[in-house]
Amino acid sequence: MASIDIPDVRMATEEDARALAALAAELGYPTTDSEMGRRLARIIADRRYAVFVAGDRETVGWIQTCLTESLEGGTFAEILGLVVTQNQRRTGIGARLVSRAEDWARENGCFRVRVRTNVVRAEAPAFYAKLGYKSKKRQEVFEKTLP
Ligand SMILES: CC(C)(COP(=O)(O)OP(=O)(O)OC[C@H]1O[C@@H](n2cnc3c(N)ncnc32)[C@H](O)[C@@H]1OP(=O)(O)O)[C@@H](O)C(=O)NCCC(=O)NCCS
């Protein structure tokens, strides 16, 4: 990794909505600031979720994680979203965000972390492999919009 200072990582607050929306757009999910603000408020209020942001003066990345409990899989933490702004990649920010999410999982008594990544995310497999994640299975995602 480049030997530059990695920005601090902290828990998101409702004031981060605008920066999170801008980064979500980079991820391919354009979201208005007000919609992001509403989502963020609900997520912050729910202790099963956590959002961390990287950046000192400017927010350059975020990660969302949650605690999941399923009948067949037991308890695990899941990374629901992660993005680092394009011009700051390969400087260690993504690794630091994942490390913070892993710490949060441990703090919550959870010692297994899972992430599902879209096959279009070309850089993600090498990134997660470098951080010690092993590919478990390949899946197809189905969705239905209810009338
Ligand atoms: C995946 C992503 C979060 C990585 O963030 P990052 O800050 O660039 O990652 P880091 O600098 O912490 O990389 C850590 C290590 O992962 C590996 N890695 C990261 N990006 C890589 C790439 N494009 N190709 C190969 N290896 C890569 C490297 O081993 C890297 O260490 P190095 O730079 O010393 O070689 C970032 O590329 C991104 O936002 N991509 C778009 C969204 C996405 O794919 N999100 C994840 C899906 S859930």
Side-chain angles (χ1 to χ4, degrees):
M1 276 174 208
S3 58
I4 62 163
D5 285 341
I6 302 175
D8 282 342
V9 168
R10 60 170 174 81
M11 202 161 247
T13 69
E14 291 186 33
E15 280 77 61
D16 293 307
R18 188 179 186 158
L20 267 60
L23 287 166
E26 276 195 46
L27 206 50
Y29 296 97
T31 313
T32 62
D33 296 352
S34 54
E35 175 56 26
M36 183 60 84
R38 284 190 289 275
R39 291 180 191 170
L40 192 56
R42 286 195 298 272
I43 288 166
I44 285 173
D46 190 332
R47 292 171 56 85
R48 291 170 301 172
Y49 293 92
V51 179
F52 298 100
V53 296
D56 302 318
R57 273 173 306 166
E58 186 195 354
T59 301
V60 293
W62 59 255
I63 190 167
Q64 182 187 1
T65 183
C66 74
L67 294 174
T68 298
E69 182 95 46
S70 82
L71 288 173
E72 81 281 19
T75 307
F76 56 91
E78 183 158 12
I79 294 169
L80 297 178
L82 165 66
V83 61
V84 172
T85 195
Q86 189 90 45
N87 66 5
Q88 299 275 333
R89 289 183 189 166
R90 302 302 293 266
T91 64
I93 297 167
R96 177 164 287 196
L97 284 164
V98 170
S99 171
R100 184 65 190 90
E102 291 173 353
D103 287 344
W104 178 83
R106 280 191 209 94
E107 288 157 20
N108 284 278
C110 180
F111 295 86
R112 193 155 53 104
V113 183
R114 182 178 287 183
V115 58
R116 299 162 211 258
T117 148
N118 190 325
V119 291
V120 302
R121 309 245 178 254
E123 56 273 46
F127 171 72
Y128 285 114
K130 178 71 185 291
L131 301 188
Y133 287 73
K134 307 264 185 297
S135 176
K136 293 271 289 183
K137 59 185 170 186
R138 300 178 79 79
Q139 291 183 316
E140 198 165 343
V141 175
F142 295 89
E143 187 174 275
K144 177 181 179 182
T145 301
L146 300 180

